[in-house]
Amino acid sequence: MRTALAILALASLAACQSQPDDPGNGAQAGRNIAVPANDSADAANAAEEPAEAETLDQVGPIRIGATLAELAAEGLAVAGRDDPMPGSTCTYAHFKGWPDAAVMLDGDHVVRVDVSDAQQEGPFGLRVGQSEAEAIKRLGSAEVQPHPYTGPTGHYLVFHRANAPTGLIAETDGKTVQSWRIGQWEQVQWVEGCS
């Protein structure tokens, strides 16, 4: 009887560990990406830290999901804001002190941040101007896709964890990172921004 229970327990454990990935998740951006590990010490630390150790929901003080009123209460003043297109609630804003961070809003909520300047460091140490090879190394096994406009030479480096609400796309010219964006996964995938 003990042998039968032991075999049943092992079979149950094996079934739990071999669940397939959700094939519909991230269909536009390809497969999901694992968190990079630089060495065994980092891998050990990553096991102790929460899965979202590198956040994809904040650039400096600008938080995905925050409202303009919340950010204003924290001292972030809007320097300029676009008018939405007819029938849309999507706009872009810029904040004082953050001229190279274009903030996509859905109504008054931040949903995405686009960065086009080397001064701002992104998750995993990603930066504009960094070599594509270095960016891929920092992002782990990032999904490399042809850029919609400059491919096949230019690329998208796509980072999205399974079932995560946020993600990252870095754009390259095939040699260096030209820009990157993070935010809610749906909006991060929009090629034309609010258009």
Side-chain angles (χ1 to χ4, degrees):
M1 183 69 157
R2 284 186 187 174
T3 305
L5 288 175
I7 291 172
L8 182 59
L10 286 173
S12 297
L13 181 60
C16 289
Q17 292 177 345
S18 63
Q19 296 297 319
D21 291 336
D22 177 9
N25 186 32
Q28 261 186 322
R31 63 185 171 81
N32 295 312
I33 310 305
V35 176
N38 295 329
D39 59 30
S40 58
D42 285 346
N45 289 338
E48 296 172 10
E49 294 176 14
E52 291 290 325
E54 281 289 346
T55 63
L56 301 179
D57 63 357
Q58 189 163 346
V59 176
I62 305 168
R63 296 182 325 280
I64 304 303
T67 64
L68 290 179
E70 290 168 339
L71 295 176
E74 295 169 12
L76 285 172
V78 173
R81 183 173 179 183
D82 300 338
D83 291 325
M85 295 177 67
S88 176
T89 58
C90 183
T91 60
Y92 270 96
H94 291 279
F95 290 92
K96 291 179 181 174
W98 296 85
D100 297 306
V103 180
M104 181 187 283
L105 303 167
D106 182 6
D108 282 341
H109 287 83
V110 176
V111 293
R112 170 173 142 175
V113 180
D114 297 46
V115 177
S116 59
D117 184 84
Q119 288 183 321
Q120 191 57 243
E121 183 174 294
F124 307 107
L126 183 69
R127 278 191 190 275
V128 170
Q130 190 171 61
S131 74
E132 181 178 274
E134 178 66 18
I136 291 170
K137 179 180 171 186
R138 288 180 176 276
L139 293 172
S141 55
E143 176 76 18
V144 180
Q145 300 177 357
H147 190 288
Y149 299 120
T150 63
T153 304
H155 299 119
Y156 268 9
L157 308 182
V158 179
F159 184 96
H160 181 238
R161 293 179 180 103
N163 301 315
T166 59
L168 174 150
I169 294 178
E171 297 186 33
T172 80
D173 61 3
K175 296 178 183 174
T176 61
V177 175
Q178 303 296 300
S179 66
W180 54 270
R181 58 189 185 256
I182 65 167
Q184 291 183 1
W185 184 231
E186 179 185 345
Q187 284 86 356
V188 166
Q189 295 176 85
W190 293 353
V191 176
E192 295 284 340
C194 285
S195 302

